[in-house]
Structures are given as C-alpha cells and as structure tokens.
C-alpha cells in the first residue's frame, strides 16, 4: 500500500512593513533610490524644524503677551485693591478725628477709595479662574467690604452725636480691616505676583529644541550639497541652496528675535516689575503708618500691648507702636526703590518721598509729646491740621510714590512691549519659510533624479 504524500505547507505571507523595508533597502543600492530617501529626509527635517520653531515661539509669545496685557496689570490691580482699602481706612480715621466737622474732602476720599476697591474687585473676579485661590480671595473681600462700611457708618453716626462708643466702632472697623481684609488683599496680591513670575518663566527660556533641530537641518543640507558636488562636480544645486537659505533665515530669526525679546522682558522685570513691587509695598507701609497714627489719637490710650525692650517688658500704645513699625518699613522700601531706580525721573520722586518721611517722623514725635502731656487739641492739630501737620508729609509721600509708580509702569510697558514685538511674525514666518525650504529640497533632489530618466 502506497502512502499518500503529505500536504504542502502554504508559504508564510510577509507583512506590508517588511516588504516596504526590503524595497527601501533595495532602492538604497541605486543612486535614484538613495536620492529619493535623501530628499524625503531633508524635507521632513526642514518641516520639523519649522513646526518646532512655530510651536515654541508661539508659546513664548503667548506668555510674553500675558505678561504685558494680563498678569502684570492684574498684579497692579491687586496692589490697587490693597491700597484703596488701606487708604479708605486712613480716610475714615481722619474724618473721625475731625468729629462733627468732618470735611467734604475726607468724606469724598473715603467714598472714592471704597468705590475704587469695589471696581477693582469686579475686575479681578472677571480675570480669575473659577474655584481658584484668587477667586476665593475676591469672594471673601466682596463679603467683608459691606461689613466694614457698615461699621464705619455707625462710628460716624455716634461720633457726630458725641457718643464715645463711636470710637469703639471705628476701632472694630479698623480691626476688621487690619486682621481680615488687608491680609486677604495681600494674599491676592501675592498670588497675582506669583502668576506674573510664572508667565516670565514661560516667556524667557531659549527654545533649545528648535535651535538644535535648526543646526541639525543646516548640517544635513550642507552634507547633501557636498555629496551632490562630489558626484556631479556642480558647485550649486538651486533647490538645495534655497532650502538652506530658508532654514538659515529661520534659525537666525529665531536666535536673534528671541535674544532681543528675552533682553526686553528681562529689562521689563529688572527695571519695571521689581521697582513696582517695592513702590507698592512702600505705599502700603505709608498708608498703614498714617492709619495707625490717626488711630493713636482715636483710641487715646485704650489699646495697649506689651513689648520687650532690652530684656525688660514694657507696656506701650498699640497703634503708636504699629506706626513705628510701619514707618521703619517705609524707610526700608524707599531705600530699596532708590537703588532700583535707573534714571532721574525714577529717582527724584523717591528722594522727595524720603525727605517727606523724615519730616513726618519729626512732626509725629512732636505730636506724641503733646499728647503725652495731655495737650490733645495741640496733638490733633499736629496730625490733621492745615499747616505743619503730619498730614502734609503723608500727602507728599503718597503723591511722590504715585509719580514713581506711574514712571516705572511706563518703563515696564515700554520694555515688555519691545520684547513682545521682537517675536511678532516669527511663528507664521517660520512655518512659511519651512514649507518653502521643504519644497526647495524636494525640487533640488528632483532635478538630480531627472538626470536618470
């Protein structure tokens, strides 16, 4: 009996990928095949270089735009909220000291500050992300503001009627401002400054990935042209030359443009943002000092605290002690602002504020001496009087700080604007030039391929 032959095993079918690899390997053994591979690689490199450049510059340009038009203005807005609240508190205490003869100017200043704080809170709420810490701070301040206004109005009402309880209401209003509202406003200011720092950190780093890819692309194009010269003895291939020129322009534009942008942004930080922070802190210290100076006379010794001096415990007036702390803080901030100011327009108002502060301290000491001797009316005149009072010094300090802030804000906007302008058009330009460069590489290689047909 003859055995039946075994069934033949069908051949294993190869995958499309494996067949493609074999075809590419076979094509690479011929010059036309090699040229096609070189052309594809060059085109992909040029396009990848353009894409990465467009991506990285777009991110940096967006961050620079946020610095100029969003985070820094919001930081300034947060500082204005703090300033307006502190100034309203100062105006309220000044009006209280005038008793039933509260001036229209004092009342108008208080209402202006309250309205300004409310308007800035609305602006901050519209720019804050929902459920963010900034939004929580804005919500809390919006809740506390009406409560504070109610306490001040009660204090005014009782004060006009000559009831001593008005002073207690004003001290309670001040306590709410100092312990709850101003710390929350400071928290908001700190968070917005942190947001500004993040935007600077996103806008200023060099786009190393794009730069490295650009150098690699130029090296590949140079190698392709050198290879073409060795095989054909032709110095130039117009397509490859145009591709090289396009890549070189993008790389040069990228490096120079970002270097200029980085310099402008760094300058806006060093000579704008840093000075603005110090000046805002100085203004806040000035406002707190003035508020505590007024409350020293409002409380008339009702608020005391114990401090340690040279190892000995001492009882002092709380508000006067806080004034000393705040005026020392003001002196420190003004000294820092003077060092940061880089031109006469920035230095002069700071120097004037320093001079006003020294006179303020001298006049304050005279007022405290009169109050300690029981001469309350003389002390009051030295604090809120028309001539020779500390009110003049405070107003001059505040006006000069406002001048310095306005100047530094302009310096910031100019430098940051220059930085942003240096990146204008780079994203779109890189994309267009990359496409032209890729087309040039394909046409250049295609010209060589046509010689084999």
């Amino acid at each position: 009996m003859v055995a039946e032959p075994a069934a033949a095993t069908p051949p294993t079918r190869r995958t499309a990928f494996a067949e493609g690899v074999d075809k590419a390997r076979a094509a690479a053994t011929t010059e036309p095949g090699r040229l096609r591979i070189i052309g594809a690689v060059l085109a992909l490199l040029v396009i990848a270089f353009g894409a990465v450049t467009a991506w990285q510059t777009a991110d940096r340009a967006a961050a620079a735009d946020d610095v100029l038009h969003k985070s820094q203005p919001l930081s300034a807005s947060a500082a204005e909220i703090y300033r307006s609240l502190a100034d309203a508190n100062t105006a309220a205490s000044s009006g209280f000291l005038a008793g039933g003869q509260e001036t229209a100017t004092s009342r108008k200043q208080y209402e202006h500050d309250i309205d300004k704080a409310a308007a800035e809170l609305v602006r901050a709420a519209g720019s804050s992300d929902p459920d963010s810490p900034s939004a929580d701070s804005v919500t809390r301040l919006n809740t506390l503001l009406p409560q504070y206004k109610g306490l001040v109005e009660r204090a005014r009402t009782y004060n006009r009627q000559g009831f001593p309880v008005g002073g207690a209401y004003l001290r309670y209003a001040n306590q709410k401002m100092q312990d709850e509202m101003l710390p929350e406003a400071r928290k908001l200011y700190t968070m917005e400054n942190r947001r500004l720092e993040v935007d600077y950190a996103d806008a200023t780093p060099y786009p190393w990935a794009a730069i490295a890819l650009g150098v690699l692309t130029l090296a590949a194009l140079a190698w392709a042209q050198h290879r073409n010269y060795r095989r054909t003895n032709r110095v130039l291939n117009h397509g490859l030359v145009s591709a090289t020129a396009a890549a070189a322009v993008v790389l040069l534009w990228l490096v120079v443009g970002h270097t200029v942008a980085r310099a402008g942004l760094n300058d806006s930080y060093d000579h704008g943002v840093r000075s603005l922070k110090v000046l805002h802190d100085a203004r806040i210290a000035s406002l707190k000092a003035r508020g505590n100076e007024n409350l020293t006379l409002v409380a008339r010794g009702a608020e005391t605290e114990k401090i340690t001096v040279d190892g000995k415990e001492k009882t002092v007036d709380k508000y006067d002690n806080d004034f000393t702390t705040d005026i020392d803080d003001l002196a420190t901030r003004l000294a820092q602002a003077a060092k940061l100011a880089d031109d006469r327009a920035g230095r002069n108002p700071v120097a004037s504020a320093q001079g006003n502060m020294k006179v303020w301290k001298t006049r304050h000491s005279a007022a405290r001496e009169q109050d300690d001797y029981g001469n309350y009316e003389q002390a009051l005149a030295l604090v809120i009087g028309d001539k020779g009072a500390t009110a003049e010094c405070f107003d001059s300090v505040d006006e000069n700080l406002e001048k310095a802030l306005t100047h530094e804000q302009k310096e910031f906007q100019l430098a940051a604007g220059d930085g942003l302008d240096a990146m204008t058009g780079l994203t779109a330009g890189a994309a267009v030039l990359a496409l032209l460069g890729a087309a040039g590489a394909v046409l250049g290689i295609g010209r060589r391929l046509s010689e084999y047909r």
Side-chain angles (χ1 to χ4, degrees), residues 6 32 50 82 102 118 141 155 162 242-243 255 285 288 350 358 364 372 407 414 438 442:
Y82 194 111
E102 179 183 5
L141 285 170
S242 65
V255 173
K288 290 173 68 177
V350 174
K358 291 176 182 178
H364 175 80
D372 290 341
H407 172 72
L414 182 62
V442 170

Side-chain angles (χ1 to χ4, degrees), residues 124-207:
S127 303
S128 301
D129 296 328
D131 301 324
S132 67
S134 294
D136 291 342
S137 291
V138 171
T139 300
R140 179 158 173 75
L141 285 170
N142 275 321
T143 301
L144 291 170
L145 188 58
Q147 297 175 13
Y148 171 80
K149 288 171 61 181
L151 290 170
V152 170
E153 290 308 317
R154 286 188 181 184
R156 279 196 171 119
T157 299
Y158 286 124
N159 190 43
R160 283 194 297 268
Q161 296 172 358
F163 295 150
V165 72
Y169 272 106
L170 188 66
R171 292 196 300 274
Y172 185 33
N174 176 73
Q175 183 179 358
K176 182 171 286 291
M177 177 66 75
Q178 299 292 343
D179 295 348
E180 299 181 60
M181 298 177 70
L182 290 183
E184 199 67 47
R186 168 65 77 173
K187 180 181 175 183
L188 178 63
Y189 177 53
T190 301
M191 287 187 291
E192 293 303 338
N193 278 333
R194 192 177 301 124
R195 182 176 177 178
L196 177 60
E197 297 281 352
V198 170
D199 285 338
Y200 266 107
D202 290 340
T204 53
Y206 271 107

Side-chain angles (χ1 to χ4, degrees), residues 1-294:
M1 184 175 181
V2 179
E4 294 182 3
T9 304
T12 303
R13 184 165 182 172
R14 306 188 64 206
T15 64
F17 176 76
E19 291 177 357
V21 170
D22 287 343
K23 288 180 181 179
R25 188 180 294 116
T29 61
T30 65
E31 183 61 12
R34 284 192 287 268
L35 286 173
R36 290 189 181 91
I37 294 173
I38 290 171
V41 171
L42 290 177
L44 285 174
L45 274 176
V46 174
I47 289 176
F49 171 43
V52 173
T53 299
W55 163 54
Q56 291 199 303
T57 55
D59 278 354
R60 284 156 178 77
D65 187 74
D66 284 345
V67 165
L68 182 59
H69 296 120
K70 193 172 183 181
S71 53
Q72 196 282 327
L74 282 175
S75 174
S77 180
E80 185 61 28
I81 290 171
Y82 194 111
R83 190 208 68 79
S84 296
L85 291 174
D87 196 43
N89 201 45
T90 299
S93 60
S94 295
F96 186 91
L97 286 174
Q101 291 77 41
E102 179 183 5
T103 64
T105 301
S106 174
R107 179 70 179 181
K108 184 178 179 180
Q109 183 63 44
Y110 167 79
E111 291 177 348
H112 170 77
D113 288 329
I114 291 295
D115 291 343
K116 180 69 173 176
E120 293 294 342
L121 284 170
V122 170
R123 181 182 175 189
S127 303
S128 301
D129 296 328
D131 301 324
S132 67
S134 294
D136 291 342
S137 291
V138 171
T139 300
R140 179 158 173 75
L141 285 170
N142 275 321
T143 301
L144 291 170
L145 188 58
Q147 297 175 13
Y148 171 80
K149 288 171 61 181
L151 290 170
V152 170
E153 290 308 317
R154 286 188 181 184
R156 279 196 171 119
T157 299
Y158 286 124
N159 190 43
R160 283 194 297 268
Q161 296 172 358
F163 295 150
V165 72
Y169 272 106
L170 188 66
R171 292 196 300 274
Y172 185 33
N174 176 73
Q175 183 179 358
K176 182 171 286 291
M177 177 66 75
Q178 299 292 343
D179 295 348
E180 299 181 60
M181 298 177 70
L182 290 183
E184 199 67 47
R186 168 65 77 173
K187 180 181 175 183
L188 178 63
Y189 177 53
T190 301
M191 287 187 291
E192 293 303 338
N193 278 333
R194 192 177 301 124
R195 182 176 177 178
L196 177 60
E197 297 281 352
V198 170
D199 285 338
Y200 266 107
D202 290 340
T204 53
Y206 271 107
W208 291 115
I211 292 172
L213 195 52
V215 172
L216 177 62
T217 300
L218 286 176
L221 286 166
W223 171 83
Q225 289 175 87
H226 179 68
R227 182 182 186 279
N228 183 64
Y229 169 72
R230 290 181 59 188
R231 281 165 172 72
T232 65
N233 227 16
R234 294 170 187 162
V235 177
L236 298 176
N237 177 294
H238 295 298
L240 293 178
V241 168
S242 65
T244 302
V249 168
V250 173
L251 183 59
L252 183 63
W253 191 358
L254 173 65
V255 173
V256 174
H258 190 76
T259 299
V260 173
R262 181 186 174 94
L265 289 169
N266 285 338
D267 186 54
S268 74
Y269 185 84
D270 292 335
H271 300 126
V273 171
R274 290 178 64 198
S275 293
L276 286 168
K277 284 181 180 178
V278 172
L279 289 168
H280 280 307
D281 287 341
R283 203 173 188 191
I284 288 167
S286 172
L287 288 162
K288 290 173 68 177
R290 180 60 178 170
N292 283 314
E293 183 177 47
N294 290 342

Side-chain angles (χ1 to χ4, degrees), residues 348-367:
N348 286 348
V350 174
S352 296
Q354 288 177 308
N356 300 144
M357 179 200 64
K358 291 176 182 178
V359 178
W360 185 0
K361 292 173 71 174
T362 301
R363 292 182 180 180
H364 175 80
S365 296

